[in-house]
Every structure is written in C-alpha cells, then in structure tokens.
Amino acid sequence: RQKMRTYDTSCEDLMELYTSTVQENFTDELLSCTDEYSREFNETTGIPGDMEACPFDYLPNVVDTNFGKDGNRNVRYTSSFFHTTSDDIEPLDFYDFYKSFDKANSETLFGAYNFESSDLTDMASELASNADVNIALASLGLTIIALLIHNKSPWLCLMGFLQIIVAIPLAYFGYSVVAGIEFFPLLNLIGLFVASAIGADDIFVAVDKWNNARIASPNEATTEDIAEIALPDAAGAMFLTTITTSVAFLATCICPITPILCFAVYCGLLVLFNYILNILIVFPALCQWDTWQQNGSTSRFVDLRNKKNNTTEKADDEMEEGLDDKTSIKIERKHRILLRIFNQIDKFRWPLLVACLVVAGVCLYFALQFPLPESMDVRLLPASDPLELHNVWKDNLLNMDLWKPVAMVYVLFGLDTGDTGAENNPDSLSKLLLDDTFNPSSEGAQLYLRDFCDSLFGQDFAIQLDMCAINEFEIWLEDQSSLVTPSTAYSDNCNAAAALPVPESAFDSCIIAWSKETVNISVLQENGKVRVLIITGAVDLQVKSSLGEIGTMWDDFEAHIEDQSSLAPEGVNKFYHASFMWWYWDGSVQMTKTATGSGLITLGFASLVVIFSSKSLVLTLVSTVTIFFILIASSATLVGLGWELGFLESICFSILIGISCDFVIHFCHAYKHFEGNIDSQLRARFAVVDMGPSILAAAATTISAASVMLFCTTPFFTKFATVLFVTIIYAIIGSFIFYIVLVDLFGPAEPTKMFDLCWKSIVRKKEDEEIVKNDSSLVASTRPSMIRRSSVKRTYGFDEIDFDEIEKDNNGNRQSKRASLAQSISIKYFLDLDGSVDDSEEEKSNL
C-alpha cells in the first residue's frame, strides 16, 4: 500500500506497471512479512513483537491462513475495511446503498461486504423474512384453488375459506387472552400455512363424507337424513386427527425456548379452531348446498358443472332405465382408480411388506445418524447471499486464526438465579435477584475470595483476562499503606489495613471506596454494603465450536465451581457461573430434547387415540408402527439432504411429527367402520376407497403449497417447505402401502372383539335378548334404508349383504358369510371374485 501511494496514476496504469517481476517481488515481501507476523504474534497480548520485514500498519486480514504454507504463493481470501457512519442516513437507506457496492461478480474475483457488527445481516434477514412471509401467504391461494377443484362448488369453497380465515383470529384470541402470551414471533406466521393445510384436510373429509352419503341414499332421503349419517361420521374422523395433531404441536411446549413454545401453542390452537369452525360453518353450508341441489338449482355458484349434480341420481333408477354409459355404474372414477390401486397392493402384498421392512431398517439406521450441529451459529440468510459469503470467507483469513475470540464467563457472588420478567416474553427483562446471605466481610470470606481466582485460572479450561477485583483491591491496599500521604478513600475507610483481611467492620466501606476511586464495576454496593462481586474470565470457545466441545467445557467449569462452593465459608458459598456460550449451548440441547420428547409424546398419544377409537390392539400396533415408519423415513431423507438437528431443524421436526399421523388415523377409522366379522381384505379395500380421495386431495394441496414455499430465500422457510414435502410424500407411502399391506395381511376381522368381550364381562349388560330385540326393531323401522346401513356402507356394496345370511359366531357376535359378502361386492363394483375390475357389457347386461 505504501508503494502504491508513490504512484500518482490510475488503476489501469497501475495494472500495466504490475508486471510479473513486480508481482514476484511483492509476493516475496508479503510472504516474509506474513511469516514474521505469525512467528512473533503474542496470543496473550494479541499483538506481534518487534518486526523487521513488516510495515508498522500491516494487518493479517490481507491474507488467508493457507498463504505461505507448503509453498503456497496464492492469496485465496483477502479483505479490507473502511469506516461508515449512520448519523445522517437511515439504516434502510444505507442497506439500499450497500446493495450498490461493487462486488466484482466475475469468475475469478468476487467481493462481499458486511459490518463489524451484525446490523446489516439482521436488516437483510428481516427484509428477506418479510418477503418470504408474503410468498407463504400467497401459497394460501393454492388451497383455495384446490378446494374449488375438489368440491366443484364456489359456495363450499367460500365457506371453507371462511373457516380457515376465521380460525386465525380465534386462535390468536386463545393465544393472547386465554393463554396470556404477549410475545408473537414472526415464526407464528408459519401457522397460517398450517391452518390452511389442516383446515383444507377437514373440509375435504366433510365434503367427501356428504357426497358418499348422498350417492348411496335412497331417492326419498332428505337433507336431514344425509346429515344424520354423514356429519357424525365426518366429525368423528376429523376429531381423531384433530386431537392427535393438536397434541403433536402442543407437545413441543416442553421446549423452554419461548419462540418455539409460542409457535407450538399457536399452531395447536389453529388446528382445534379449524375443527370447531368446520362443524359450525362447513356442516351447515353442506346442508344448504344439498338443499339447493335437491331443489334443482343449476346455479354455477352452487355447482360449476351448470347442471343438476349427477350425485343426486340414484343407482337403482339408472339401472332400471337400462343406461349403458359408465354413469350407470355408481362408482365414481376416483373410486375405481383407488380400487385398481388396492388390487395391485393386495396382489403384491407380501413383496411389498418385505420391501417396506427393508426400507424401514435402512431408514432407521440413517435416522439414528441424525447429526447434531457442528456449531451453534444459526444463519438466517441463504448460503449464496453476499452477507453469508462474507461470514464464511472471513473465517479463512489469517487474523481469525491468530486472534481467536473467546467466550466470556462470569462467576457471580451475591446474586440468586431467577427471572422476574414475563416467562414467555423475551422483551420483558428481569430484575437482579440479590442473595441476602452474601457477606464477604468476614476474614475467612476475604481470604477465600482472594485465593479463588488463583484456583480458578490455574485450571486448563479457564482463561484470565483481567486481574480479579479482590486481588486488585489487595494490591491497592499495599500501595496505599506504603505511601506517606495515602488517598482520602484509603485513609477514611480502610483502618490502615495493608493487606487482606481488612477488619470486618471496615471491609465494606474500604472496598466500596476503592471501587469508586478506580471506577471498578465488578463490585456493586447498596446502602454501604457490598451486594455483588463479579469475577470475569473466559473459555477457549466460539459460537462455531461444536456442541461436544462446549459440553465438555461446561462440565469442567461446573465441576470446579461445585468443588469450590463446598469449600467456601458461610456468606460466600452460593455463587454460580454464567456465560452466553452456556445459554447458547443449553438452547441447542433443549431443542434436541424437544424433538425427541415431543416425538415420543405424539407416538404415545396417537397410540392411545387409535386404541380408544378402534378398540383394537392390533390396529393400534399397526398404526404406531406406520407412524414410526413415516418419521424414520422422513428423518433419514433429511439426513441424506445434509441436515443437522439444529435450531431451525428442530422446529421443522415438531411439524413433521404433527402431520405424520393424520393419514394413518383416517385409514384406521375407516377400517373399523363395520361391525361384525368381515374379512380384513375387504375392510382394507373399503378404507382405501372411502378415505383415499380425501387423503390424496389433502396431500396434493399441501405438496403444492409447499412447492411454492421452496422459492423462499431464508433457510427456515425453505426447510419448512422441505419438511412438509418430504413428510407428506412418506405419509402417502406409509399409509397407502405400509399400513394397508399390514392390515390386509394381519388386520383383525373383528377389530372390537376383544374390547367387546371385556366390556361385556365388566358391565354384564349385553344379553342375547337385547340383540334380538335390536335386530327386530332394525327390520321394523319405517326407514330401513337409512338405519340399516350407513351411507358409506351402501356406496361400496357392503349393505348388499342379506341379513338372513348373517349368523352368530361362538361369542354371539354377528358374522357374515364370506361368500355372500364377496358376491355383494362383486355385484356392486362389477368385480370378479378375485378382485379385478370388469367393465364388460356382458356383465352389465347380466346384472
């Protein structure tokens, strides 16, 4: 730089003067200077000793750590700095100005800027997060489109959107007023996406249940008849997934980190209010929609198809008319597709089971390798951002290798641990809690404090930055006592003490006078009494240190403090140590515990939900195994993507757990729909056809919205979208393949049999006379078609079983003859008895 100043010329001219000879000479000088600076650098003082080859203003940030090593003469990273001021410019304006800086942007040279502080990065992160929130909100539009496509009714779409929107302020009311949480982090805005995804799932279930009931109902069925069947069935199915998903989010409340806890509470409330509003808004809307349909409405607002809905035409009427087109077969296209899918799954069920078990084993191996983060440094900008490049590149500079930052640690005497601020509001700060037992004035306490620093900083893990206050105080006493005319602070307060211990009656006034004279802030007093004494040290750790290194250092420091506390006299034996590094490390540890703990809570609660709803231990085991499969498959994929279980990833993991249960519970609810002895294959087939459309619609909606969020810039939003995408994919695979294969092979023909027997033995109220009486009243009903069978039973052919063909098993339970049941399904679905779909005209005419 000094040589460059001697040239009064332009950059272009300097480039011409920078010949190969000049370059070689300059590189030699730079190598000599760098080598000398590194050799003479004093780690204690942070400055080099006497140097001959380097100019006085040489700084090691002009070269990287590899320069000069192993014959390397190329500088890979270099940096400079210049001063800025924000007195006359707003931060946002400065950020715009910063973006205009020259960054070279060439293949051989690229520049990146940042402040010495994190101001610029914080501003960029905030602006990027705001932009990404807008993208996340825009993804709600896909939910509306999905509702319109699936329901084919603007009216139902409008009511569904109203449900999702109204749930947001209601959840906030419960969050802020009922739960009393004032802090609302930006993270909670992700809850809007959760609300749309979960809300859409509930809407799909309600609409599909209603359509199934209407298709299967007799001609004379009224809207009230359909509501009597469809709405309780839909409410029950949604209730199971709602409480499971809510608990999955609320289980994350075990995390003591406020933003995570707030996010969990808000999302849990969103799920609950979506369910409540689905019943209060969507259910009545379905009744009104069906009434319009039954009255012959042709409004596009009611139905986009601009004609009377085919679902109101009954199968019996069409078949009597001898229609030959496919509308005469009352199996909608989506159901026929799902039937074919099930037939293939059933055909290859054993190979699929083996494949799923192998995949589960491989995924479990990799999921257990989910690494903890190598550092605790949470980055909120994408890796390609110039500010992030600066953050990465600066670590390669020589000055970062020489001037290694350390983590400050404070040993605190006279303070109690605690927080008087609002527990769930980081903006609410705490007051200092004084330890009323602290009394350093006794002679024993003074001597103990004097020797404490030598003991602490004699350990390998502790670094002494400055002399401890109590030791400085003793040196001051020695100096003042040797003076002919000591200071007023000494002569008026110290009783001529020349060393520690000072007379107990004079200690407080003497050390307080010293601290005021020397402006030492490590001694804090109140009303003439020493109340707080602070010892400042450090440990050789950085934010980018691994959790293992920090944990080891914490253990060493904690063990030493506990040992010293046991040796301390009364009055100074309740001290502790604190460090930002400890808080940071503990936060990461808590996040890991939260991911594990919330996962176990969710699995346990999902098992309880399944066992109480299905009343079957087998279905509970199958459901739990499937949910576990989804979790480990998703986790293994994230490991394959290079993820670590850090702060952001743990948040996403709680979301993964919350949405991994829904599809499995839907299928479980459908599987145990029928009473009596029904073959597991037929139950599995019904589950796929009954709940498949709703599950696939919810999955498609969530995947589409998540795909939009992949275009966000901040890592949290993109990771959130990735987790949603991966989880939904594996939830589909796990529920449609693994779960269905398991119940097809090992599912119980009578899921509630064991529960019914236990219940019967306990309450002793089930008698054969009551069964006969119930059957008689069932046959004698004035509406046999509505009471004898639910809408979904008739839709998929199960109601075609003649009640005369029902016999009782050894336990008194009704069971269906396998042949009659298979024949009924064959007729209803136009199936061969082997399960294949037969669309031949001959088969139709035979019917």
Side-chain angles (χ1 to χ4, degrees), residues 381-446:
L381 290 174
S384 60
D385 190 279
L387 293 172
E388 287 301 304
L389 292 177
H390 182 280
N391 181 68
V392 174
W393 291 349
K394 72 177 183 180
D395 291 338
N396 295 288
L397 298 174
L398 180 59
N399 67 307
M400 296 298 292
D401 187 55
L402 298 177
W403 302 337
K404 292 180 180 178
V406 293
M408 306 291 287
V409 181
Y410 304 93
V411 180
L412 304 169
F413 291 84
L415 290 178
D416 275 337
T417 58
D419 187 350
T420 62
E423 182 178 359
N424 296 321
N425 186 0
D427 297 329
S428 176
L429 301 180
S430 174
K431 295 180 181 179
L432 291 179
L433 300 178
L434 297 176
D435 175 17
D436 293 331
T437 67
F438 177 61
N439 181 17
S441 61
S442 68
E443 293 186 2
Q446 294 180 47

Side-chain angles (χ1 to χ4, degrees), residues 650-678:
S650 297
I651 300 172
C652 295
F653 199 82
S654 67
I655 302 170
L656 183 157
I657 297 169
I659 63 179
S660 62
C661 309
D662 286 6
F663 297 169
V664 175
I665 292 178
H666 277 318
F667 273 147
C668 180
H669 179 262
Y671 180 89
K672 52 86 58 178
H673 186 83
F674 298 108
E675 298 178 358
N677 190 326
I678 297 177

Side-chain angles (χ1 to χ4, degrees), residues 540-604:
D540 188 15
L541 293 173
Q542 307 172 41
V543 172
K544 295 186 178 181
S545 299
S546 68
L547 291 178
E549 293 174 334
I550 301 173
T552 300
M553 196 71 74
W554 155 266
D555 291 337
D556 292 341
F557 217 106
E558 178 72 2
H560 181 77
I561 293 297
E562 289 181 354
D563 290 342
Q564 289 297 310
S565 178
S566 64
L567 300 174
E570 289 291 331
V572 291
N573 59 346
K574 294 183 179 180
F575 56 93
Y576 61 93
H577 61 109
S579 171
F580 174 76
M581 188 61 65
W582 304 152
W583 304 332
Y584 210 174
W585 168 73
D586 184 61
S588 297
V589 172
Q590 293 299 330
M591 291 302 304
T592 304
K593 291 182 178 178
T594 298
T596 305
S598 60
L600 294 176
I601 291 174
T602 302
L603 282 175

Side-chain angles (χ1 to χ4, degrees), residues 599-656:
L600 294 176
I601 291 174
T602 302
L603 282 175
F605 187 79
S607 300
L608 291 176
V609 169
V610 173
I611 197 169
F612 280 111
S613 62
S614 67
K615 304 173 185 176
S616 170
L617 292 176
V618 175
L619 288 182
T620 301
L621 178 61
V622 170
S623 300
T624 304
V625 168
T626 305
I627 294 171
F628 183 70
F629 170 81
I630 297 171
L631 291 177
I632 62 174
S634 301
S635 300
T637 301
L638 298 180
V639 171
L641 294 175
W643 284 31
E644 298 173 333
L645 193 58
F647 182 80
L648 300 180
E649 293 80 6
S650 297
I651 300 172
C652 295
F653 199 82
S654 67
I655 302 170
L656 183 157

Side-chain angles (χ1 to χ4, degrees), residues 455-529:
S455 174
L456 174 63
F457 296 118
Q459 307 298 316
D460 294 337
F461 54 81
I463 300 174
Q464 185 170 9
L465 301 178
D466 298 301
M467 184 177 293
C468 294
I470 192 73
N471 300 110
E472 287 188 32
F473 172 60
E474 184 174 43
I475 293 174
W476 179 79
L477 289 175
E478 294 174 356
D479 293 341
Q480 292 295 322
S481 63
S482 63
L483 296 176
V484 176
T485 307
S487 66
T488 304
Y490 175 80
S491 58
D492 292 349
N493 298 284
C494 297
N495 199 16
L500 293 177
V502 175
E504 184 173 345
S505 59
F507 176 79
D508 285 313
S509 59
C510 182
I511 195 172
I512 291 172
W514 164 79
S515 66
K516 290 181 178 179
E517 181 179 283
T518 58
V519 196
N520 190 301
I521 60 174
S522 296
V523 177
L524 305 180
Q525 62 89 23
E526 182 184 46
N527 298 327
K529 293 289 184 180

Side-chain angles (χ1 to χ4, degrees), residues 90-108:
E90 294 294 328
L92 190 59
D93 294 334
F94 184 83
Y95 178 75
D96 293 334
F97 182 65
Y98 144 79
K99 291 193 297 185
S100 66
F101 288 173
D102 178 27
K103 301 179 180 63
N105 297 324
S106 67
E107 295 182 359
T108 57

